[in-house]
Amino acid sequence: MSQETFPSGQQGFILHRDEDLLIVAKPAGLVVHRGWADDEVVLLDLAREAVGAYVYPVHRLDRGASGALAFALHSEGARALQEVWTSGQVEKRYLALVRGNPPAAVTIDHPIPRAEDGPRVPSVTEVTTLARAGRYALVEARPLTGRLHQIRRHLKHISCPLIGDVRYGKGEHNRLFRERHDLHRLALHAWSLALPHPRTGAPIRVVAPLPPDLAGALAALGITLELEAGAVPPARVASDEADIQRAPDREG
C-alpha cells in the first residue's frame, strides 16, 4: 500500500493507484465534490493535486465519515466503474461506533428514500457486532444497496444510533464523545473496499487504516482493532464493563 500523502499537509494517503483507478483514504470533514457544498477545499481537488491528473468521482462518503473512496483516472474508466457499482460487484465494509445493544448479526431490510424527501426504495444492510463496551458497541456494516445516509438510517432503525450523528443520533452521547474524547465527526469509517478492476476485471481489495481520532475514542472504551484485507476485523475489549463517563439515558 502506497503511503503517498495529500499535498499541502492534508491528512490522507493513496491506497491504490494504477493507470485507470485511484483509491484514497478520505479524511473526515471533507466533502467529495464541490457540487455537494460550498467548501473551498474538497477531496476531488486534493486527489487531482496528489496525482497530477484529472480524476472522476464514482461514489461518495458523507462529510463526517472517513475511509476508502475510489476515483477513475479517465472518462472511459469512470463509465466502467459506474457499471461495476450499479451491477452490485462492489463490496463496501464500514466500522461504526453506536449507542445501544445491537444483535450479534442482523440483516436490516428497511426501505428508505433514495434522496431527501423522495419515495422509499428497497434498502438492505448487513450488520455484525464486533465488540461491546458498556452502553456502546462497535459494529461492521455492509450495505447491499446504496441509498442516501443508508447506514445511519438503518442503525437508527434498530435503535442503535451512530455516535457523532447530529441528524439521526442522540445528542447527549454525541456531546460526551466530543467533550471527553475530542471526537468531532461521525464514528463511521469505510475500512474496506473490494471491486473488480474496471479494465482487467482483476480483484482489488484495499483497507483504509483507522484514523487517530476514531481509534482514540475506541481505545477509551477499551476496544482495539486489527484491520486486514479479506476478513472481518477482530476486535478486543479490555473489559466488558467499560462504559466511559456515563451519559444521561433519557433517550433510551
Side-chain angles (χ1 to χ4, degrees):
M1 180 175 63
S2 171
Q3 295 293 318
E4 299 173 68
T5 57
F6 284 128
S8 306
Q10 293 293 332
Q11 301 220 345
F13 42 84
I14 293 173
L15 302 174
H16 174 92
R17 179 183 176 184
D18 58 41
E19 61 185 10
D20 305 294
L21 176 65
L22 172 70
I23 305 178
V24 303
K26 173 192 172 301
L30 283 175
V31 294
V32 176
H33 192 282
R34 185 161 282 105
W36 298 332
D38 295 326
D39 297 28
E40 287 188 16
V41 178
V42 298
L43 185 66
L44 183 66
D45 292 340
L46 296 178
R48 289 172 178 169
E49 186 179 350
V51 300
Y54 200 87
V55 300
Y56 299 77
V58 294
H59 66 125
R60 62 169 293 169
L61 285 176
D62 290 342
R63 177 198 292 273
S66 57
L69 189 84
F71 294 96
L73 291 176
H74 47 76
S75 58
E76 295 83 0
R79 287 191 291 270
L81 272 175
Q82 287 290 352
E83 292 177 4
V84 166
W85 244 266
T86 57
S87 63
Q89 299 180 68
V90 179
E91 180 192 75
K92 296 173 287 183
R93 293 178 178 267
Y94 294 76
L95 296 172
L97 178 61
V98 302
R99 160 69 178 94
N101 187 30
V106 62
T107 297
I108 304 169
D109 187 348
H110 176 66
I112 59 176
R114 190 187 302 272
E116 289 292 350
D117 302 321
R120 291 180 176 267
V121 294
S123 307
V124 180
T125 305
E126 295 179 346
V127 174
T128 302
T129 298
L130 303 178
R132 303 180 192 275
R135 298 183 175 192
Y136 304 99
L138 178 69
V139 303
E140 183 189 61
R142 188 164 76 92
L144 304 187
T145 51
R147 314 302 184 208
L148 181 68
H149 299 164
Q150 176 174 317
I151 293 174
R152 297 161 62 183
R153 290 172 184 257
H154 276 175
L155 291 173
K156 176 185 178 183
H157 180 68
I158 63 169
S159 300
C160 293
L162 183 69
I163 296 299
D165 192 340
V166 298
R167 182 186 294 258
Y168 308 108
K170 300 294 186 181
E172 285 98 332
H173 300 279
N174 295 345
R175 285 193 294 274
L176 185 150
F177 276 84
R178 287 196 300 268
E179 294 169 2
R180 301 293 184 185
H181 303 289
D182 203 26
L183 189 69
H184 300 265
R185 51 160 294 177
L186 290 175
L188 184 66
H189 178 66
W191 82 271
S192 175
L193 179 64
L195 69 158
H197 189 277
R199 180 171 52 83
T200 69
I204 295 172
R205 182 183 293 272
V206 299
V207 168
L210 201 62
D213 56 355
L214 186 52
L218 293 176
L221 292 170
I223 299 174
T224 59
L225 281 172
E226 297 178 6
L227 299 184
E228 297 181 1
V232 173
R236 294 190 294 272
V237 182
S239 168
D240 290 339
E241 299 302 320
D243 188 15
I244 65 169
Q245 308 261 344
R246 293 172 68 88
D249 201 30
R250 293 191 299 274
E251 296 179 324

